[in-house]
Amino acid sequence: GLPRGDRGELVPMMIGLIVVGFILIVVTHFLNKSALEAWDTVTSIVKFLDAGHNELVGQVRPADFEPLDVFTVDEYRNKSWAFNDLVAWSWSYSVHLRIKETYIDSEGKKKTRYVYRWRTIRSESNAREFLLHDGSGGVVVDLNSFEDIAWGSSLWSREKPGSKPGNPLYRAGHNEKVMEHSWVLHGLRIGDPVYVMARIKDRGGINELRGMVSENAGRLHHNLIAVGEDAPRRHALISKGTELGVLKARSSGIDRFGGATLLILTTLIVMAMSL
């Protein structure tokens, strides 16, 4: 075994490694939770949809006959900055800054250094109901009721402002320099595949259907609507893409917890051998 003095120094480090291992197990469990829910839930056929919590996979279509909103990212009126086929969107304008800082070093001397960080300057989002259709039938999804929306990869991005006037660019403050500008747009387009875990419930009175596609269409649920309400082991979620995009995150128990468990066991063995 190790000398007694060395053992005392090792114990805090060993305990720290064990704590890190347990933290990794807990974090991995929660990161994998949505994938487990998707695996454990049978995808419903929209045509035979009933009230309750359901997993749905389909295509995004308009929920009503009103034209979709036309908007321009950050008010730039260039054609390439305008969109009119999104049922939901979220854009942000950020800048990459070089910031000059002063600090005191280990010898008590005052020094300066540069640090780099991204800062979001402004952002905007919007959403409206859409129709999820899987080929067998369709049901309206109340997008605004969902807190968890997985946008997937961005639809569009720019590093230079539009040529037509928009909102003003960020002006660097004291001891700052703007290194980069970035505009990024995420959204759900008409025709996009979409995965939904939601509660299906009665929409209510017939008056709420006025102007809805489902009011006069066949194979659509006239009075049912999908809303973002959780249930035990069912977290309300909208994810752009098919169910496979959610399921691929699931891995085996060894894949998920093997590394953290091995860390804990190895540390315990080393501690036992050093005593």
Side-chain angles (χ1 to χ4, degrees), residues 254-270:
I254 294 176
D255 291 335
R256 287 180 282 129
F257 304 118
T261 304
L262 183 62
L263 174 64
I264 294 171
L265 291 176
T266 303
T267 304
L268 290 172
I269 292 170
V270 172

Side-chain angles (χ1 to χ4, degrees), residues 9-73:
E9 294 176 1
L10 277 176
V11 169
M13 183 180 71
M14 297 293 186
I15 293 175
L17 288 174
I18 292 173
V19 171
V20 169
F22 278 112
I23 292 173
L24 287 173
I25 288 175
V26 173
V27 171
T28 305
H29 168 74
F30 282 103
L31 288 177
N32 199 55
K33 189 176 178 182
S34 62
L36 286 171
E37 290 173 355
W39 273 97
D40 293 342
T41 308
V42 177
T43 304
S44 299
I45 305 299
V46 175
K47 181 179 180 180
F48 305 111
L49 201 58
D50 292 319
H53 280 81
N54 290 266
E55 176 185 86
L56 305 171
V57 178
Q59 185 186 66
V60 175
R61 295 186 183 180
D64 54 46
F65 297 104
E66 293 183 13
L68 295 174
D69 299 325
V70 178
F71 80 98
T72 56
V73 176

Side-chain angles (χ1 to χ4, degrees), residues 22-230:
F22 278 112
I23 292 173
L24 287 173
I25 288 175
V26 173
V27 171
T28 305
H29 168 74
F30 282 103
L31 288 177
N32 199 55
K33 189 176 178 182
S34 62
L36 286 171
E37 290 173 355
W39 273 97
D40 293 342
T41 308
V42 177
T43 304
S44 299
I45 305 299
V46 175
K47 181 179 180 180
F48 305 111
L49 201 58
D50 292 319
H53 280 81
N54 290 266
E55 176 185 86
L56 305 171
V57 178
Q59 185 186 66
V60 175
R61 295 186 183 180
D64 54 46
F65 297 104
E66 293 183 13
L68 295 174
D69 299 325
V70 178
F71 80 98
T72 56
V73 176
D74 212 8
E75 300 300 325
Y76 284 99
R77 295 191 296 276
N78 296 71
K79 188 175 181 181
S80 63
W81 291 61
F83 299 86
N84 65 353
D85 61 347
L86 301 177
V87 296
W89 48 262
S90 176
W91 65 262
S92 64
Y93 164 52
S94 305
V95 291
H96 193 208
L97 297 174
R98 188 188 73 182
I99 304 171
K100 188 177 182 181
E101 289 184 344
T102 59
Y103 70 101
I104 306 299
D105 67 8
S106 58
E107 298 177 357
K109 295 179 180 179
K110 189 176 182 180
K111 292 188 175 182
T112 61
R113 63 187 173 193
Y114 290 110
V115 296
Y116 296 84
R117 64 173 60 101
W118 282 95
R119 181 182 299 166
T120 299
I121 306 304
R122 53 182 171 263
S123 60
E124 193 173 302
S125 60
N126 189 44
R128 61 187 288 175
E129 292 180 341
F130 70 89
L131 187 76
L132 181 149
H133 205 291
D134 69 352
S136 72
V139 65
V140 172
V141 178
D142 180 8
L143 193 52
N144 281 306
S145 66
F146 287 81
E147 294 183 2
D148 192 352
I149 301 176
W151 297 103
S153 57
S154 61
L155 290 177
W156 171 99
S157 63
R158 291 288 187 276
E159 295 179 356
K160 295 182 178 180
S163 58
K164 296 183 179 180
N167 286 320
L169 295 177
Y170 176 77
R171 290 190 177 185
H174 182 61
N175 290 335
E176 291 181 347
K177 182 179 179 181
V178 177
M179 308 300 291
E180 294 177 75
H181 299 275
S182 176
W183 290 264
V184 178
L185 171 69
H186 293 85
L188 276 179
R189 270 194 163 110
I190 297 296
D192 275 346
V194 66
Y195 168 92
V196 175
M197 181 84 78
R199 180 188 170 199
I200 308 300
K201 67 178 186 179
D202 196 312
R203 188 179 186 90
I206 193 65
N207 289 333
E208 292 188 34
L209 293 173
R210 298 301 178 192
M212 302 299 293
V213 173
S214 60
E215 183 185 8
N216 297 308
R219 295 198 304 156
L220 301 181
H221 289 281
H222 302 318
N223 288 313
L224 293 181
I225 188 168
V227 296
E229 296 180 7
D230 292 342

